[in-house]
Amino acid sequence: MEEFEAHVPRDWVIDYLQDRLGAESVQEMEDGKIRVLFYDRELTKSKVKTEEFLRTFERHVDEYLLQKGIRLYKG
């Protein structure tokens, strides 16, 4: 996690999440964490397929880092 935070700017992460989920779904907390709501106001209605969203996010992070010549994951 520390390596991720060292290479991926918090603003990039927040912008990415807000673009895809809406500004009301993303909140920066006082402790530096980012709170993400995957559900609409109705807790039973998901805005996205969570696992698919996280896989796509990981792919976009990898692409972002590769543009900078950085590879976080060995594989």
Side-chain angles (χ1 to χ4, degrees), residues 2-47:
E2 290 174 9
E3 194 171 355
F4 176 89
E5 290 177 343
H7 297 293
V8 182
R10 176 175 301 280
D11 291 341
W12 183 91
V13 173
I14 291 172
D15 289 345
Y16 179 92
L17 295 170
Q18 286 180 338
D19 285 347
R20 282 148 184 87
L21 298 172
E24 72 282 351
S25 296
V26 182
Q27 180 181 23
E28 191 167 4
M29 308 300 284
E30 289 182 20
D31 59 5
K33 294 180 182 177
I34 300 170
R35 180 178 179 209
V36 180
L37 302 175
F38 289 104
Y39 291 87
D40 207 337
R41 291 183 188 267
E42 300 174 38
L43 291 178
T44 58
K45 185 177 177 186
S46 180
K47 288 184 171 193

Side-chain angles (χ1 to χ4, degrees), residues 34-63:
I34 300 170
R35 180 178 179 209
V36 180
L37 302 175
F38 289 104
Y39 291 87
D40 207 337
R41 291 183 188 267
E42 300 174 38
L43 291 178
T44 58
K45 185 177 177 186
S46 180
K47 288 184 171 193
V48 295
K49 294 180 181 177
T50 308
E51 289 181 25
E52 183 178 315
F53 179 86
L54 293 173
R55 281 193 303 271
T56 302
F57 174 71
E58 182 178 11
R59 191 178 80 242
H60 286 140
V61 167
D62 288 342
E63 290 170 4

